[in-house]
Amino acid sequence: MSGLLLRALRSALRVPAAARPLRTAAPRAAFAKELFRGALSKEEVFPYPEISNEELQEINQFVGPVEKFFTEEVDSKKIDQDAKIPPETLKGLRDLGLFGMQIPEEYGGLGLSNTMYARLGEITSLDGSIAVTLAAHQAIGLKGILIAGTDEQKAKYLPKLASGEHIAAFCLTEPGSGSDAASIQTRATLSEDGKHFLLNGSKVWISNGGLASVFTVFARTEVVDKDGQVKDKITAFIVERDFGGVTHGKPEDKLGIRGSNTCEVHFENTKVPIENVIGEVGGGFKVAMNILNSGRFSMGSASAGMIKKLIEMTAEYACTRKQFNKKLSEFGLIQEKFCFMAVKAYVMESMAYLTAGMMDRPGFPDCSVEAAMVKVFSSEGAWACVSEALQILGGLGYMKDYPYERFLRDTRILLIFEGTNEILRLYIALTGMQYAGKILTEKIKEIKKGNVGVALEEFLNKLRDSMGRKVDFGLAGDHGLVHPSLQESGKKLEENVYYFGNTVRGLLSRFGKTIVDEQLVLKRVADVVINLYAMTATISRASRSISIGLRNHDHEVLLTNIFCTEAYFKNNYTMAQLQKYAEENLDDCIKKAAKHVLEKRAYTCSHPLDRTF
């Protein structure tokens, strides 16, 4: 079924995509940042986001043909072995319109919402190489044109990118700059007549680098500040391979996602017209961050789609394989692994679609922190689940005749690309703490000015805490937002959120601006808030499911209560570690041990067979 036919199906529906409400409302408050204040913005997450019946019908028209293609036409084993996606498979992806999923219909794309894009991502993720190829093309490769391009740039480039006639790549990483994007050295020099830039430099590990006709490239440019000083700032460019001076190296031989094309891309005196600047000259770093921040949420649905397939395959084996005259499925340790995988899949799916629903609402909400949390939780959850699935299979899972080892290899990259999980944890924690810190600073200023109301509020809060405050955000109880079967999970979330706010306040008071250097502290802060968002997503989703009578809603409630109980106790322990002089905190010991190893560049303990006599 071609992309044209899919669009024809859409036009037959009662409410076409073009008729969706425009985003004209005022900006909405961000949910995740409020958690750092110990606040729960219920209206942002309850009830769980829904799409209309028309949109549901529309997405189902896409799901069938895409599932059929991936089931019948995609040979993942061959793609992995040959380290290449066959031309006929790429053609099939083009015919389905999958290169233009989020490009507006006016430019020849499918114009899918974030929710619809996430749903198709569940299917495309069944082949890691294809998933990366499509994501590198549209989630980052052409995203700069979509979110910051001019009307002329969109009209010129998007139609051929939507059809897949042209493939896009995102060129940011360099040999000397990975996570530190601001340290890139590729340079673009403005010509004397001011009509074009000369681009020179090299980029590494570029997905689609050998396939792309259009590149989003980031380079240093000279910018004159308001005070007349010349400074180096990063600028984003649309670069065509046909501009000349663009070459690429051989495809990298990778551990996983082997069929995706990854290579070095070199630019030598490449002439880029001035009109191909994305956004403003010197505004490229912001463009890069906006591109990366906007696409991470889809890793949740993609990972969940893969794990759900993995559960099906592994459960079939566990229910038929016998050892000690019992099926594997009857052993408690095997059952624990299936519960673990089901919980992880449910949580990441809940987080992904909650975030997608928030992004699809009017008002241009800033969901960058939520998207980063989805990416961290889902990538680590996927890696853990694939490992558990392979363990269930035993030796069979280790063999290349079966797909499990390929899933393992393909999944490992998820913790690294689109922002390493270490960097994203720092981003999550620092962004939220900066938000909370500004509000705290304003309150302190008001108290110093003699604002009695603010001072009294602070005093009463501390008094209530010292007397054992009962936390109530309106989730539980007779008039609460959560279903009665989720009351205990709701209470645990409320308590965790409130004391997380207190913990953040204590850390800001203790460290001040030096908090940016306390990475082990920030990691724990991020871990707690990720769990809080995950608890929120599952409670909201399960409440909706049981309230409207979805099938197996009792199973959703069970998975939610399991996760929330485990997360609650983990959060409490982590927040205890963050207290001053906490016995649970071993940060100083960890740093001391690591410093010794790194100074010696070796493991220095004497061998157990050594002797002194």
Side-chain angles (χ1 to χ4, degrees):
M1 183 178 291
S2 70
L4 284 174
L5 186 49
L6 287 173
R7 286 190 286 275
L9 282 169
R10 157 181 283 168
S11 66
L13 299 173
R14 285 181 293 169
V15 180
R20 293 194 192 107
L22 294 173
R23 297 184 174 195
T24 55
R28 301 174 69 103
F31 173 78
K33 291 178 184 177
E34 286 290 313
L35 293 174
F36 287 82
R37 297 181 55 233
L40 195 63
S41 301
K42 303 186 295 291
E43 66 281 358
E44 292 297 314
V45 291
F46 288 96
Y48 195 78
E50 286 186 329
I51 60 174
S52 66
N53 287 329
E54 290 78 11
E55 287 178 300
L56 182 61
Q57 184 182 355
E58 184 182 351
I59 190 61
N60 286 337
Q61 297 281 5
F62 292 111
V63 167
V66 176
E67 281 186 335
K68 185 174 187 293
F69 176 79
F70 272 80
T71 301
E72 299 177 3
E73 305 295 333
V74 174
D75 187 343
S76 294
K77 184 177 181 180
K78 180 175 172 56
I79 290 173
D80 182 67
Q81 288 176 339
D82 295 349
K84 184 179 180 181
I85 301 173
E88 59 271 20
T89 303
L90 288 172
K91 182 180 183 301
L93 298 172
R94 291 187 184 101
D95 289 344
L96 284 165
L98 297 181
F99 280 93
M101 283 188 271
Q102 287 201 287
I103 294 176
E105 286 185 273
E106 63 187 285
Y107 299 112
L110 298 181
L112 301 186
S113 65
N114 291 295
T115 300
M116 292 179 173
Y117 178 64
R119 178 65 184 93
L120 290 188
E122 290 186 47
I123 308 169
T124 59
S125 69
L126 297 180
D127 185 284
S129 297
I130 291 176
V132 169
T133 299
L134 292 175
H137 169 74
Q138 57 200 323
I140 53 178
L142 61 81
K143 184 60 74 74
I145 302 174
L146 262 184
I147 64 177
T150 64
D151 290 342
E152 292 77 15
Q153 289 170 345
K154 291 176 182 178
K156 181 177 180 180
Y157 291 107
L158 290 181
K160 288 186 177 180
L161 290 168
S163 69
E165 180 182 345
H166 286 172
I167 291 177
F170 180 83
C171 297
L172 178 62
T173 305
E174 297 183 4
S177 66
S179 296
D180 183 11
S183 67
I184 63 172
Q185 296 302 310
T186 296
R187 180 164 292 279
T189 307
L190 187 63
S191 62
E192 289 186 7
D193 59 10
K195 292 183 178 180
H196 63 265
F197 284 88
L198 276 182
L199 183 64
N200 285 280
S202 296
K203 303 289 184 177
V204 297
W205 302 325
I206 304 304
S207 296
N208 295 348
L211 306 177
S213 303
V214 177
F215 304 85
T216 297
V217 183
F218 298 86
R220 291 195 166 279
T221 53
E222 288 187 350
V223 178
V224 179
D225 266 358
K226 294 178 182 178
D227 56 6
Q229 291 187 332
V230 178
K231 291 187 177 180
D232 260 3
K233 290 190 177 181
I234 296 172
T235 300
F237 298 92
I238 304 168
V239 180
E240 299 177 30
R241 187 179 290 273
D242 290 343
F243 286 167
V246 182
T247 57
H248 64 268
K250 66 178 183 179
E252 301 286 357
D253 190 8
K254 305 187 294 292
L255 170 73
I257 54 168
R258 292 177 53 77
S260 65
N261 179 277
T262 308
C263 62
E264 293 185 10
V265 178
H266 309 284
F267 303 95
E268 185 176 355
N269 292 326
T270 301
K271 291 179 69 173
V272 184
I274 188 86
E275 55 266 26
N276 276 39
V277 170
I278 301 177
E280 299 177 350
V281 174
F285 186 79
K286 183 178 179 181
V287 171
M289 294 305 103
N290 286 340
I291 290 170
L292 293 170
N293 288 341
S294 64
R296 293 188 177 110
F297 78 94
S298 61
M299 195 176 290
S301 62
S303 298
M306 179 192 66
I307 293 167
K308 287 190 285 186
K309 181 65 175 178
L310 208 56
I311 289 173
E312 288 179 17
M313 295 160 57
T314 314
E316 179 65 28
Y317 178 83
C319 291
T320 54
R321 168 79 167 168
K322 282 191 173 184
Q323 290 288 282
F324 308 106
N325 294 318
K326 291 173 72 176
K327 294 175 182 176
L328 289 185
S329 58
E330 297 177 48
F331 292 101
L333 290 178
I334 299 299
Q335 292 170 352
E336 181 187 35
K337 295 182 189 301
F338 279 100
C339 174
F340 175 84
M341 290 190 288
V343 167
K344 290 290 185 185
Y346 185 75
V347 176
M348 62 182 68
E349 189 176 56
S350 301
M351 294 172 76
Y353 283 99
L354 175 60
T355 307
M358 291 165 68
M359 292 171 69
D360 283 335
R361 290 173 185 162
F364 297 100
D366 175 11
C367 296
S368 59
V369 176
E370 288 86 348
M373 292 194 286
V374 175
K375 192 271 186 185
V376 172
F377 185 94
S378 301
S379 58
E380 293 177 0
W383 173 245
C385 287
V386 173
S387 179
E388 292 286 34
L390 194 144
Q391 188 72 15
I392 293 168
L393 273 292
L396 185 147
Y398 209 69
M399 301 298 120
K400 280 190 173 287
D401 288 340
Y402 299 90
Y404 305 99
E405 60 85 30
R406 186 182 73 247
F407 277 117
L408 189 78
R409 289 186 287 106
D410 285 352
T411 303
R412 187 58 186 85
I413 190 62
L414 300 181
L415 289 77
I416 299 172
F417 71 2
E418 291 200 36
T420 68
N421 286 8
E422 289 74 21
I423 291 293
L424 289 183
R425 275 189 166 88
L426 299 181
Y427 171 75
I428 291 164
L430 287 172
T431 302
M433 293 185 81
Q434 182 185 42
Y435 177 82
K438 283 182 179 178
I439 295 172
L440 179 60
T441 300
E442 288 169 6
K443 283 190 175 183
I444 292 171
K445 286 180 180 178
E446 288 299 313
I447 292 172
K448 286 181 178 179
K449 288 178 184 177
N451 189 321
V452 178
V454 175
L456 184 60
E457 179 189 353
E458 291 299 301
F459 172 75
L460 290 175
N461 279 334
K462 289 181 180 179
L463 182 63
R464 291 190 192 103
D465 289 342
S466 66
M467 297 174 65
R469 169 194 290 266
K470 180 184 177 182
V471 181
D472 184 4
F473 287 118
L475 295 187
D478 294 338
H479 302 289
L481 294 172
V482 306
H483 191 273
S485 60
L486 294 156
Q487 292 275 325
E488 289 305 311
S489 291
K491 290 176 182 177
K492 288 181 172 67
L493 172 61
E494 289 179 326
E495 183 184 321
N496 270 176
V497 168
Y498 180 79
Y499 288 109
F500 176 63
N502 281 0
T503 301
V504 168
R505 178 183 296 230
L507 293 172
L508 288 169
S509 299
R510 193 161 109 218
F511 293 107
K513 292 181 179 179
T514 64
I515 189 70
V516 298
D517 300 318
E518 299 294 332
Q519 292 195 353
L520 298 184
V521 170
L522 294 171
K523 176 183 181 293
R524 293 191 181 94
V525 170
D527 285 343
V528 173
V529 79
I530 289 169
N531 274 341
L532 294 180
Y533 188 54
M535 292 167 76
T536 303
T538 54
I539 291 170
S540 178
R541 176 184 173 188
S543 291
R544 170 188 174 268
S545 297
I546 196 169
S547 296
I548 66 174
L550 290 183
R551 60 184 175 85
N552 297 325
H553 56 68
D554 55 334
H555 185 60
E556 292 190 43
V557 171
L558 178 61
L559 296 180
T560 297
N561 286 332
I562 289 171
F563 174 75
C564 288
T565 300
E566 290 181 341
Y568 171 77
F569 287 110
K570 286 179 183 175
N571 287 343
N572 283 340
Y573 182 74
T574 304
M575 286 190 282
Q577 288 180 306
L578 288 169
Q579 301 306 308
K580 198 172 185 179
Y581 308 123
E583 292 182 2
E584 299 90 343
N585 190 307
L586 298 174
D587 287 359
D588 290 340
C589 296
I590 291 168
K591 291 176 183 177
K592 185 176 180 181
K595 184 178 179 181
H596 176 84
V597 172
L598 292 168
E599 282 178 350
K600 304 298 182 182
R601 288 173 170 74
Y603 171 79
T604 62
C605 298
S606 298
H607 193 278
L609 300 183
D610 285 353
R611 53 191 294 169
T612 58
F613 56 89

